[in-house]
Amino acid sequence: MTELQATAAIDAAAPARAPRHARARVQRRPVHGVLLLDKPLGLSSNDALQKAKWLLRAEKAGHTGTLDPLATGVLPIALGEATKTVPFVVDSRKTYVFTIRWGEERDTDDAEGRVTATSEVRPEAAAIGALLPRFTGTIEQVPPRFSAIKIGGERAYDLAREGETIEIARRAVTIHRLGLVESPSPDHAVLTAECGKGTYVRSLARDLGRALGTFGHVCALRRSQVGPFGEEDMISLERLESLCHRATAGEGHLADILLPIETALDDIPALAVSPADAARLHRGQAVLLRGRDAAVFRGLVQVASGGQVVAIAEVDRGEIIPRRVFNLTGITGRAGRREG
């Protein structure tokens, strides 16, 4: 969705494309932080990102892992300098709650696809629970035909829509935890999964169905955790729109909507430096690591000065070497984290 001038009334039902003259008048601004969006059903991750970017009038934005239109839940959107943290969040674990519809396999492995096989078999809860250990740990799975996997430079979903027969190679993924939540009916089972990077829940549902002597596809999917980000800090698009309205009217501040950049770096050790060393790091210069353990400490750190994140750096042989430097001028996220 194209950005519109945020000083105008914000319309949640705005068209996907604005008139050319409206696009030309857009006034963007530097906005830095993480917006933890509760992606609504039926909206693609990119559409959700563009909507949020438009509402905030942000110059730059990126998300940290695609959710299908069928899926809802945690979609961390990195704004401004926070986009430099995206690689660290993309590689983190993700947790999903999903519902499998037994008895039907579909070409998309979810409810949006065409039925390709049916079965009258409905697995018992005990059989489902007994099978789950086989799908826990490092396993191999074939991604869905309708996925963003590239085959010969083309996206698999583009080739599938054109009716081409495609072969997608099996690949190793890690499922750290897989559990049965409930079986509300013979046709449905609700499961939860904590997965590593590259795992397709749709493929998991398909393979579970086949292993249980039936067929299955995902009919509901919600992401509840992405790395350090959980549902307790999410905000809906409707709430975001309301808060942006209020901020434009002078009631509240956009910085209170956004989490600070360093929340995306929770798994990286923090290191405080002096203002003088922070200035050197900003210029791309290495600085000496002082202290008793300086000679032996190595690895990636987030560097802060005066309570503000300065850089992502690597410590090697007693030096702090900047790898990603943050230039935080403009609106910077300061919302506090809520405890679960």
Side-chain angles (χ1 to χ4, degrees):
M1 181 179 295
T2 305
E3 300 161 8
L4 301 177
Q5 191 169 1
T7 52
I10 300 172
D11 181 5
R17 299 290 294 176
R20 185 178 300 276
H21 68 276
R23 298 201 300 272
R25 292 198 306 268
V26 67
Q27 298 294 316
R28 302 181 187 182
R29 59 191 170 191
V31 179
H32 312 294
V34 179
L35 174 68
L36 204 58
L37 190 69
D38 185 354
K39 191 194 82 65
L41 184 69
L43 201 64
S44 74
S45 293
N46 187 61
D47 284 344
L49 180 148
Q50 296 300 334
K51 178 73 173 178
K53 184 181 176 185
W54 164 55
L55 287 168
L56 292 163
R57 279 172 44 197
E59 291 177 336
K60 184 167 58 173
H63 61 67
T64 59
T66 300
L67 277 177
D68 294 332
L70 174 72
T72 64
V74 178
L75 181 67
I77 294 178
L79 297 147
E81 291 293 278
T83 56
K84 295 175 180 178
T85 70
V86 166
F88 302 95
V89 182
V90 166
D91 289 341
S92 60
R93 296 185 184 186
K94 301 171 179 65
T95 302
Y96 300 88
V97 177
F98 59 104
T99 302
I100 301 177
R101 167 69 161 87
W102 303 119
E104 289 183 353
E105 191 166 293
R106 303 198 175 201
D107 57 1
T108 58
D109 296 319
D110 65 20
E112 296 185 331
R114 177 178 57 87
V115 176
T116 56
T118 61
S119 172
E120 297 299 321
V121 175
R122 299 295 184 269
E124 298 286 340
I128 299 169
L131 178 67
L132 299 186
R134 280 176 47 190
F135 288 84
T136 305
T138 299
I139 65 170
E140 287 193 341
Q141 67 172 202
V142 178
R145 292 174 56 242
F146 287 82
S147 65
I149 298 292
K150 282 194 173 182
I151 301 175
E154 299 288 335
R155 297 290 186 186
Y157 53 67
D158 289 330
L159 298 172
R161 288 182 187 125
E162 292 170 3
E164 293 192 28
T165 301
I166 56 176
E167 293 291 334
I168 302 179
R170 303 181 71 86
R171 61 181 187 174
V173 299
T174 301
I175 299 177
H176 301 280
R177 179 173 53 87
L178 182 62
L180 177 65
V181 177
E182 62 173 337
S183 291
S185 74
D187 289 335
H188 299 90
V190 180
L191 293 90
T192 183
E194 182 183 352
C195 310
K197 180 181 178 182
T199 304
Y200 280 91
V201 175
R202 287 182 287 153
S203 294
L204 184 59
R206 177 199 64 211
D207 295 343
L208 284 169
R210 292 177 180 177
L212 288 163
T214 183
F215 298 108
H217 66 270
V218 170
C219 64
L221 174 64
R222 183 166 180 81
R223 189 159 65 189
S224 59
Q225 189 86 23
V226 176
F229 302 118
E231 291 182 293
E232 63 276 6
D233 291 310
M234 288 193 307
I235 183 172
S236 68
L237 274 176
E238 292 78 8
R239 178 65 174 159
L240 176 62
E241 180 181 4
S242 173
L243 292 172
C244 287
H245 263 307
R246 293 178 58 188
T248 301
E251 302 173 4
H253 198 282
L254 292 179
D256 296 324
I257 301 173
L258 308 175
L259 294 170
I261 288 175
E262 54 267 29
T263 57
L265 304 172
D266 277 2
D267 292 335
I268 301 176
L271 178 67
V273 299
S274 68
D277 282 346
R280 294 186 187 95
L281 291 169
H282 266 136
R283 294 193 295 268
Q285 299 171 347
V287 301
L288 290 176
L289 177 64
R290 298 170 179 83
R292 184 182 63 185
D293 299 323
V296 297
F297 181 82
R298 291 192 177 194
L300 213 58
V301 294
Q302 52 169 307
V303 183
S305 179
Q308 187 174 72
V309 65
V310 173
I312 300 169
E314 186 175 357
V315 177
D316 186 23
R317 287 174 290 189
E319 281 192 320
I320 307 170
I321 306 164
R323 298 304 185 198
R324 299 270 185 168
V325 175
F326 300 110
N327 300 297
L328 302 179
T329 58
I331 298 170
T332 304
R334 65 187 182 203
R337 299 295 297 272
R338 293 193 292 273
E339 299 299 327

